[in-house]
Amino acid sequence: MFVKSTMIKKENCYSVKMNDPVQVGFDLLEKHSVDALPVVDGNQYKGIFTWYYAYQAFFRSGKSKEEFLNSTLVSDVVVNQDVYLNINDVYEKALIELNDFPIIAVVEGTEFLGIVTRFDVVNQLQSAFGMHQPGFRITFTSVETQGRIGRLGEIIEKYKEAVISLVTFDETDKLVRRIVLKIQKKDNIERFVKELEKSGFRVLDVSED
């Protein structure tokens, strides 16, 4: 999956300019109930404006609230000028970059294209785990040997299961890999699980949601 599949396009983004007073940024953040805004001049990406760094600048300034609001521009508190994603970056990079910020800009060259939000990332993870669809979630482990995923596919085909999601973990473990498989609800779940165990998969948990 690529960043462009989850990006909010610039036409749908709220933004501020470098020469805007910080009050403009505060008003937009409060009005739209968001934690951060991209800073854009024309089509050029300039950074991110956030509650946190604006308030940090205020407390460090030694100014009164009125003085700070009257004398401070967005350009004085902008951050993440050099932190952004490219349109063709893979989705996993967004997970890393959004660890400390609620949004990250998507840029091509210096042109601002849009943003990816932490909220959208969480939604995509929920989708990857099939959390929006009812079914049986089976957690099991497999010895890390060639052909194990292929064998799993054969069992799925044998029982005509409809797969909602399939996620593997422990890519650094050379011996055992955890697998979470979610399938649509059918009345053959016990037979399917027994077939997994018979084929050498160790079933840890079966839950229905």
Side-chain angles (χ1 to χ4, degrees):
M1 183 183 297
F2 294 95
V3 164
K4 59 185 175 184
S5 65
T6 57
M7 179 183 73
I8 300 173
K9 294 183 179 180
K10 61 183 178 182
E11 295 84 2
N12 299 318
C13 292
Y14 309 112
S15 64
V16 288
K17 301 180 180 66
M18 289 287 275
N19 60 356
D20 281 338
V22 290
Q23 184 65 64
V24 172
F26 289 143
D27 290 343
L28 282 172
L29 291 173
E30 185 171 4
K31 178 180 179 180
H32 299 292
S33 299
V34 294
D35 295 318
L37 297 165
V39 182
V40 183
D41 275 348
N43 289 325
Q44 304 299 300
Y45 171 70
K46 297 297 183 179
I48 300 293
F49 176 84
T50 73
W51 285 112
Y52 177 83
Y53 285 99
Y55 273 111
Q56 184 182 77
F58 165 61
F59 287 119
R60 290 178 176 176
S61 70
K63 299 178 181 179
S64 68
K65 178 181 177 181
E66 184 176 353
E67 286 177 317
F68 182 79
L69 293 177
N70 289 335
S71 64
T72 308
L73 301 177
V74 167
S75 59
D76 298 320
V77 297
V78 65
V79 294
N80 279 20
Q81 295 93 325
D82 299 319
V83 180
Y84 50 82
L85 300 170
N86 294 313
I87 190 69
N88 291 317
D89 280 340
V90 293
Y91 187 71
E92 291 89 330
K93 187 174 180 181
L95 293 174
I96 298 171
E97 298 293 352
L98 283 167
N99 188 47
D100 296 319
F101 270 80
I103 68 171
I104 186 168
V106 181
V107 175
E108 188 168 35
T110 59
E111 181 183 356
F112 174 70
L113 300 180
I115 62 171
V116 174
T117 72
R118 188 181 295 161
F119 178 81
D120 293 324
V121 167
V122 171
N123 275 345
Q124 287 297 317
L125 287 175
Q126 290 176 338
S127 177
F129 279 94
M131 295 179 67
H132 301 306
Q133 296 187 51
F136 289 109
R137 188 184 309 277
I138 307 166
T139 305
F140 53 97
T141 61
S142 171
V143 176
E144 186 73 356
T145 58
Q146 187 174 356
R148 294 305 288 162
I149 296 298
R151 177 59 185 141
L152 174 60
E154 291 172 357
I155 299 171
I156 291 171
E157 174 62 24
K158 177 180 178 179
Y159 286 87
K160 306 300 180 185
E161 302 293 352
V163 176
I164 297 172
S165 68
L166 175 64
V167 182
T168 69
F169 299 88
D170 305 313
E171 75 278 4
T172 59
D173 195 309
K174 302 300 183 183
L175 299 176
V176 178
R177 180 177 291 271
R178 286 179 296 169
I179 302 171
V180 179
L181 170 68
K182 188 170 186 180
I183 56 177
Q184 290 183 1
K185 293 182 180 181
K186 290 175 62 177
D187 59 5
N188 66 345
I189 184 64
E190 291 186 6
R191 297 196 305 276
F192 180 72
V193 169
K194 286 181 180 179
E195 185 74 22
L196 289 175
E197 293 174 329
K198 181 181 176 181
S199 299
F201 296 101
R202 183 183 174 214
V203 177
L204 304 176
D205 181 69
V206 179
S207 59
E208 180 180 353
D209 56 25

